[in-house]
Amino acid sequence: MLRRAVAAFCACACVFAVSACGADETGKIRIGIKFDQPGLGFKKNGTYVGFDVDVAKYVAKKLGYSEDEIVWKESPSKQREAMLQNGDVDYIVASYSITDERKKIVDFAGPYFVAGQDLLVRKDETGIDGPKDLNGKRLCSMTGTTSAVNVKEKFAKQTQLMEQPGMAECATALLSGIVDAATTDDIILAGLASASRGRLRVVGKPFTQEYYGIGVKKGNTELKNKINNAITDMIQDGSWQRAISDNTRGVAYTPNAKYNPPVPNGKGNK
């Protein structure tokens, strides 16, 4: 009986210890970002950097939270809707394109950025100036996306497609000469070009529009409106442009001026 009592006590102590030692999220804001997108959301030596991260921090500050009151949560593309529905995060800033299909499940603040599909090539590449130049060329994109298929179907039917688990792997394949170009949203490519230290460049002729929004739980209109106000402030006080410049340093990249900076709750999110 004594042994059972001691065992029970130890079990309870372990439960309380785990509870006490676990990450206490009380009074904090939980934000979903990507951990593997250089220039947007990237986990680096235990810290988080990128344009999406800067946007997320600015919004959090406007909501009354300091940086040490942020709990960062990795938000893979396939899990974003579930994370919002389940209440795992308060909002998500993770190259999250606003679409009619997604708006049936979650609400979006923004857009805070309008990306466009573009091409990443080696710095000395002179024969690729747009998607129509990819006939007979090898093009890399991320598994599960439609970026490369879009190029093949609409611009260059003789393109040879190659898929990789992530765009960082596409950049590696490009640097090693395995492929001739890589494709996804231009700001992601700019982040990869910046990380390559001048060995890669963005062609700079986007041929689609992707309206990045900040995802919130369906029906949370109050939070959505507060985030829209924060995005507006970020654009107006110059912080938005500084964040773009800081995260594409060393790269000749300029967001498409026809769409950027966008108007929160404007085109793409009506």
Side-chain angles (χ1 to χ4, degrees), residues 7 66 81 130 142 148 224 238 262:
S66 61
E81 286 82 17
M142 189 167 63
K224 181 179 75 172

Short mmCIF file of all heavy atoms in Angstrom, two decimals, residues 7 66 81 130 142 148 224 238 262:
data_model
loop_
_atom_site.label_atom_id
_atom_site.label_comp_id
_atom_site.label_asym_id
_atom_site.label_seq_id
_atom_site.Cartn_x
_atom_site.Cartn_y
_atom_site.Cartn_z
N ALA A 7 4.08 5.70 -5.38
CA ALA A 7 4.04 5.72 -6.84
C ALA A 7 3.03 6.75 -7.33
O ALA A 7 3.28 7.50 -8.28
CB ALA A 7 3.68 4.33 -7.38
N SER A 66 4.63 42.75 -26.68
CA SER A 66 6.04 42.94 -26.96
C SER A 66 6.59 41.68 -27.62
O SER A 66 5.92 40.64 -27.65
CB SER A 66 6.81 43.21 -25.66
OG SER A 66 6.69 42.10 -24.77
N GLU A 81 -5.15 26.03 -42.08
CA GLU A 81 -6.57 26.14 -41.76
C GLU A 81 -6.90 25.42 -40.45
O GLU A 81 -7.63 25.96 -39.60
CB GLU A 81 -7.42 25.57 -42.90
CG GLU A 81 -7.49 26.46 -44.13
CD GLU A 81 -6.29 26.31 -45.04
OE1 GLU A 81 -5.56 25.29 -44.89
OE2 GLU A 81 -6.06 27.21 -45.88
N GLY A 130 12.10 35.40 -69.10
CA GLY A 130 10.69 35.24 -68.78
C GLY A 130 10.28 33.80 -69.02
O GLY A 130 11.07 32.98 -69.54
N MET A 142 8.51 23.52 -56.05
CA MET A 142 8.30 22.75 -54.83
C MET A 142 7.18 21.73 -55.01
O MET A 142 6.15 22.02 -55.60
CB MET A 142 7.96 23.70 -53.67
CG MET A 142 7.94 23.05 -52.31
SD MET A 142 7.93 24.29 -50.98
CE MET A 142 6.37 25.13 -51.30
N ALA A 148 5.26 25.34 -61.48
CA ALA A 148 5.95 24.89 -62.69
C ALA A 148 4.96 24.42 -63.74
O ALA A 148 5.13 24.66 -64.94
CB ALA A 148 6.94 23.79 -62.35
N LYS A 224 -9.62 40.75 -36.94
CA LYS A 224 -9.34 41.04 -38.35
C LYS A 224 -9.26 42.55 -38.59
O LYS A 224 -8.34 43.03 -39.25
CB LYS A 224 -10.41 40.42 -39.24
CG LYS A 224 -10.19 40.65 -40.73
CD LYS A 224 -11.27 39.99 -41.58
CE LYS A 224 -12.56 40.76 -41.51
NZ LYS A 224 -13.56 40.25 -42.48
N GLY A 238 6.20 53.84 -43.06
CA GLY A 238 7.45 53.45 -43.70
C GLY A 238 8.03 52.12 -43.24
O GLY A 238 9.02 51.63 -43.81
N PRO A 262 -0.24 47.23 -51.03
CA PRO A 262 -1.67 47.01 -51.25
C PRO A 262 -2.53 47.80 -50.25
O PRO A 262 -2.01 48.42 -49.33
CB PRO A 262 -1.82 45.51 -51.02
CG PRO A 262 -0.77 45.21 -50.00
CD PRO A 262 0.39 46.13 -50.32
#
